[in-house]
Every structure is written in C-alpha cells, then in structure tokens.
Amino acid sequence: MKFKLIEYLSTWLRRMKVLILRVRASLFYKLLPTPSHPNNGDEVKYPEKIANFSKGLPHNELGEVDVEAYDKYIQILNSGDPDDFENLPLAGERKLVDPQAAYAFEMVGPDSHQLVIPPAPSFSSPEIAAEMVELYWQALTRDIPFNEYDTNPLTIAAANELSTLSDFRGPKVDGKVTTGTLFRDNLQGALTGPYISQFLWKDIPYVATNITQRYRTTKEGEDFLTDYDDWLAIQNGSIPPGPDYDPIPRYIRNARDMAQFVHNDLSIESGFGACLILLGYGTAAWDKNNPYLESDTQIGFPTFGIPHILDFVTRAARPGLEAAWYQKWLVHRRLRPEEFGGRIHNKLIGKADYPIHPDVLNSKAVEETYKKYGSYLLPQAYPEGCPTHPSYPAGHASFVGAMVTMLKALFNESFVIPDPVVATSDGLSLDRYEGPPLTVGGELNKLAYNIANGRDAAGVHYRASGINGFQLGESIAIGILRDYKATYNEKFEGFTLTKFDGTTIKI
C-alpha cells in the first residue's frame, strides 16, 4: 500500500510538472503585447488593385484584376470560413496555394499572428524599382557562371547600374556594387568565398552511401513569359507545358541552376542536407553547450543526440511557412515580380499610366531585356511563372531561415569547413577552393541566402521578400528552442546562436 501511494504521488507530481511547463509556455505568449500588422497601404491607395497579388483571378487585357472578383477574394480571405474558400473566383485551371494556412495554430513556439515584419516597399517607391532592376539583371545573367562574374560584360554592367540607383539595398564596397557583391547579401560570412554555400556542393552522407550534389537543370537560354499573350494567359490561371531539361546533371554553377534547385525542392532538403553534412564531421562540429560532449559515461540520443538534431532542424520548416502564409494572405498581398513586369511593359508601350519610379523605367536592364525578347516583361525561369500565392515574405526564406537558425544553435558556428570546394564553370566537377577559411556560421548564412535568392534568380521574388522571410523563420526557431529549453533533465546552459543581424543570443 505504501509503495502504491509513493507511485501515485510520483505520477501526480510528474503530471503537475508537465502542466506547469505547458501553462508557463502558454502564458509567455499570452502576455506578449498584441501586435499590429502594418502593410504598405497600396491596396487602399490603388482602387484598381494594380499593386497587389491577383494571379489566378480574372484579368483584363492589361493584366489588371477584375475588381469585383478581387473584392470577393478579400471577403473570403477575411472570413476564415473553410466553406467560403470553395467559392474563390478563379479564372483558369490553377488553384491558390493554401490560403487557409494563414489561420493554422501551432502548439510549440509563437503563434504566426504574433510575429511582425515591416511593410513591403510600396509600388511607386525607389526601393521596389531597385529590386526590379536587380531582377531584370538576374534574368539577363542566368547562364553566366558565378566564377566568371568578374570578367563578363553583363555582370559588370549589372554591378555598375545597381551602384547608380537611388535606393538599392544590396551589399556594396565603398558605396559601390561590385561583381564580388553582385546578387549577394551582407549576412555575416555570406560574402566570404564562393557565391554558393559548401552545403550545396559537398557530398551528403546518407545512410550507407553518399549523395553527389549534381542536379537536373534547364537548358541554357530557356526563359519564359516574355511573350505578352503567354504572360496574360498565365495571369488568368492557365497551365503551360513543362520546360526543356539539360540531359546532364550539374553542380550548381550559375543562377539558372540555383533557380531550378529551388523549383524542385519541397521544403526541408537544403537544411536536412546541411545537417547531414555537419553530422558527418563528428562531434567536433557540434555546439559546445551540448551537455554530453564532456560526459565520461553517456552520449545523447533522443535528447542532444542525432535524432534530436534532425528533428529540430526539420520540424522548424513548417511553422516557418505558416508564419509566412499569414503575412502573405492576411497582411500584405504583395504583387509578384512577374505582375510588376506587366505593369512596366504596359507603361513603357503607352497602354497604361502607372506611378512607377523612373529608376526602373529608364534602366539599362529593362532596355537590354527589350532588345533580347521584344517585350519589357520580366523573363521567368519557370514556364508557369510564380506560384499562386502572394510575394511577401518569401516562403523559401522563411523555412530556410528557421532551419538555419536551428543549425546555428545545434552546431559550432566557428568550426571551419574542411576541404572546401568550388564548382567548375561547366558544373561537371568540383575544384579545391583556395581562400579565406569558411566557417559553419558563414556558410549557413550563405546557404540561407542562396535558397532565398534562387527564387529571385527565377524571377518570382524580390530581395526584401527574402530578407524579411529570414526574420520570420528565425523567430519561429527561437521560440521553439525557448519552449523546449525547460523540458530537459540534463544540466544544460542553453542554446547560443548568432542571429541574421549579427547579434549573439543565448536561449
């Protein structure tokens, strides 16, 4: 009887501890200030909805959305009623991508509606004009190997023009964009070494084999939606035939290859692959706070071992997407670059008068695009153009931002990558990289930007969509780490990581 009483009390105490942990985590989020979610005001400012995402709805000959259909779409988004979503006023075969995810709840980490990002650049701003100029240059230079950026006339011209824009937010050296900073970002370590992260080139250890990272890509020069009729049909939801693929798989060596990688990935592959590569380096690459690194009698497994690491890295991706989906559908509804390209085209041929900043209307990139394709439309890497969900923030940036944040917390950011490599200009082999040391932290930041910017290179996202997507994913991962910190039995000092803004935090 005494034993049963002790057993009962032990069970009761365990249940009470579980209850306290869960209530405490819930109270933490409940007591946070209620955030406001500002957008750029363009949806109200322009009654024709020229500055907002409308792909898949009915459009007129200018690619402007039918306003009645748009208003119905907004009513449905605001209702949250699952039955209403079956009445979305679509014009063609393509369906909208999961708008109801904006209403989903998560049981660990912050609720998606609690996280805030800045408003997207407005339609008439010099910032969005600079983003579009960058995208036109990325389209024009898709087939140039990263190794040849310093010498190719197009990449030199791109760097020169971006340097002259009134509000370009990319990295510069002494106030100038260079071929070494072109299409890159200032994330800590991301400008060191090759353009592509080691985690997208090195073999991935997988079960009892190694995966060589040579991927299927499309053929050189194959770009889409440069014909106006094709572009308009896609805005109205038509589904085009697929692309023509290069028969030879290649290491990622140019923007076209990177764009195809992020066309075919499903979500976790880049973070999962990086995790497997890091695990292959052994415990020397693990975070120094791991409580089992100094133990004489134990190793981690479900806690602070490989299953723990794999779970945390991959589990962060989906909540990162949910946070992005709330912002996309219920806050910003920013138009996609391909839609903006239609506005530029119709403005420049005199069929419409839109308040577009002259930095893009007068750009050499737009002029070169017209010379090559006969239109001012933004050339797309994918035949279907962008996906059917709004542009801000980028989903890829959000999920890779969450995974990379987890990897920084679980591995040693100062660990130097052994035997670094660089792809040859034809993408058929890897050479040894000679240059400054490449650290885990820097290469993870570079991986995040590669994944986000690959979507820019495809023509489906803007620079700001990626940068602010990282912020969301990072916040999701930090919240998950915070909620789990109190659940361990081990003596554990906490997770330490360097945020994308360069600050170091301990959780």
Side-chain angles (χ1 to χ4, degrees):
M1 190 70 175
K2 183 178 179 181
F3 176 77
K4 287 184 177 179
L5 179 60
I6 293 172
E7 183 181 26
Y8 170 79
L9 289 173
S10 177
T11 301
W12 179 85
L13 183 61
R14 172 79 183 184
R15 289 177 178 175
M16 288 303 298
K17 286 182 176 179
V18 170
L19 177 63
I20 291 168
L21 281 172
R22 294 183 175 180
V23 170
R24 184 180 293 167
S26 297
L27 284 173
F28 175 84
Y29 295 109
K30 181 180 184 300
L31 295 175
L32 292 176
T34 301
S36 62
H37 293 281
N39 60 45
N40 62 17
D42 281 352
E43 193 171 54
V44 174
K45 185 176 182 179
Y46 303 111
E48 302 85 1
K49 312 306 179 187
I50 58 170
N52 291 95
F53 176 83
S54 61
K55 186 171 180 174
L57 304 181
H59 297 79
N60 63 19
E61 69 279 359
L62 294 175
E64 297 172 349
V65 68
D66 179 280
V67 175
E68 288 187 10
Y70 190 91
D71 288 343
K72 183 176 181 181
Y73 146 80
I74 296 302
Q75 290 170 7
I76 292 169
L77 288 176
N78 290 336
S79 79
D81 187 332
D83 293 333
D84 288 350
F85 285 90
E86 294 305 312
N87 298 312
L88 285 163
L90 303 183
E93 301 171 81
R94 291 192 72 181
K95 302 175 183 180
L96 300 188
V97 179
D98 202 4
Q100 292 190 67
Y103 286 96
F105 291 97
E106 275 299 320
M107 298 302 291
V108 180
D111 181 62
S112 62
H113 292 218
Q114 290 182 303
L115 301 176
V116 179
I117 59 175
S122 62
F123 184 80
S124 62
S125 68
E127 183 180 357
I128 199 172
E131 289 185 322
M132 286 300 295
V133 172
E134 182 178 39
L135 291 175
Y136 276 99
W137 279 120
Q138 285 185 277
L140 289 165
T141 59
R142 276 191 192 120
D143 294 310
I144 298 172
F146 299 123
N147 293 345
E148 299 175 14
Y149 271 24
D150 289 344
T151 57
N152 190 281
L154 276 178
T155 47
I156 293 170
N160 288 339
E161 179 165 53
L162 291 172
S163 297
T164 68
L165 300 178
S166 56
D167 197 13
F168 179 65
R169 306 290 179 94
K172 299 175 182 178
V173 176
D174 296 328
K176 300 289 185 182
V177 178
T178 71
T179 52
T181 66
L182 186 65
F183 312 141
R184 300 180 79 163
D185 194 72
N186 274 324
L187 299 175
Q188 192 171 22
L191 287 173
T192 302
Y195 184 94
I196 295 295
S197 171
Q198 295 297 299
F199 297 117
L200 292 171
W201 276 335
K202 282 184 162 288
D203 287 358
I204 300 172
Y206 188 78
V207 192
T209 189
N210 284 321
I211 298 173
T212 299
Q213 293 204 69
R214 285 176 58 176
Y215 297 105
R216 183 176 71 168
T217 188
T218 50
K219 289 186 175 179
E220 181 176 343
E222 187 170 49
D223 298 316
F224 301 95
L225 306 194
T226 57
D227 175 83
Y228 190 81
D229 289 341
D230 291 344
W231 174 86
L232 186 59
I234 292 296
Q235 305 318 300
N236 285 316
S238 71
I239 298 177
D244 194 6
Y245 287 103
D246 184 338
I248 303 172
R250 300 178 190 269
Y251 292 103
I252 297 170
R253 89 290 193 185
N254 60 26
R256 181 177 299 281
D257 299 347
M258 192 67 249
Q260 284 305 309
F261 181 95
V262 293
H263 194 202
N264 294 304
D265 64 332
L266 301 176
S267 66
I268 66 166
E269 294 92 333
S270 56
F272 181 55
C275 188
L276 293 177
I277 291 169
L278 286 167
L279 289 171
Y281 296 142
T283 56
W286 291 28
D287 184 73
K288 298 304 182 185
N289 288 336
N290 188 299
Y292 288 111
L293 291 183
E294 302 300 327
S295 175
D296 293 329
T297 60
Q298 307 164 79
I299 59 173
F301 201 60
T303 56
F304 300 101
I306 291 175
H308 185 178
I309 293 171
L310 290 170
D311 172 54
F312 269 30
V313 172
T314 55
R315 76 152 50 203
R318 191 181 74 90
L321 281 170
E322 286 176 343
W325 254 239
Y326 165 67
Q327 297 288 337
K328 283 174 178 285
W329 288 110
L330 298 185
V331 181
H332 302 285
R333 293 186 284 272
R334 186 187 191 189
L335 83 168
R336 290 277 181 164
E338 92 186 38
E339 296 172 299
F340 203 111
R343 309 288 185 254
I344 291 170
H345 175 83
N346 283 318
K347 167 83 171 179
L348 288 175
I349 67 172
K351 285 194 172 182
D353 186 17
Y354 301 125
I356 299 172
H357 195 276
D359 276 0
V360 63
L361 296 176
N362 299 329
S363 77
K364 184 175 176 61
V366 170
E367 178 187 343
E368 291 298 319
T369 298
Y370 186 83
K371 288 179 182 178
K372 184 173 182 179
Y373 298 101
S375 79
Y376 298 106
L377 298 168
L378 178 65
Q380 300 287 301
Y382 311 148
E384 76 281 11
C386 71
T388 48
H389 52 85
S391 183
Y392 188 73
H396 273 73
S398 299
F399 73 65
V400 78
M403 290 192 293
V404 160
T405 301
M406 286 294 191
L407 288 164
K408 291 177 188 176
L410 296 165
F411 289 95
N412 179 3
E413 293 180 71
S414 63
F415 181 83
V416 175
I417 304 289
D419 304 316
V421 295
V422 58
T424 55
S425 292
D426 59 10
L428 297 179
S429 60
L430 298 173
D431 289 337
R432 180 172 177 79
Y433 161 73
E434 303 288 348
L438 305 177
T439 64
V440 165
E443 291 303 290
L444 286 175
N445 280 339
K446 191 184 295 180
L447 171 67
Y449 195 70
N450 287 161
I451 296 302
N453 194 50
R455 300 291 281 180
D456 298 1
V460 305
H461 266 306
Y462 310 86
R463 174 176 286 273
S465 297
I467 298 301
N468 290 292
F470 295 152
Q471 176 188 330
L472 275 184
E474 181 178 76
S475 296
I476 287 290
I478 289 171
I480 293 171
L481 292 168
R482 180 191 298 114
D483 287 355
Y484 271 95
K485 167 65 171 62
T487 67
Y488 306 118
N489 189 67
E490 293 89 346
K491 290 183 178 180
F492 175 52
E493 294 184 3
F495 301 101
T496 302
L497 62 96
T498 306
K499 296 175 65 176
F500 288 114
D501 66 7
T503 61
T504 298
I505 63 168
K506 189 171 186 178
I507 304 166

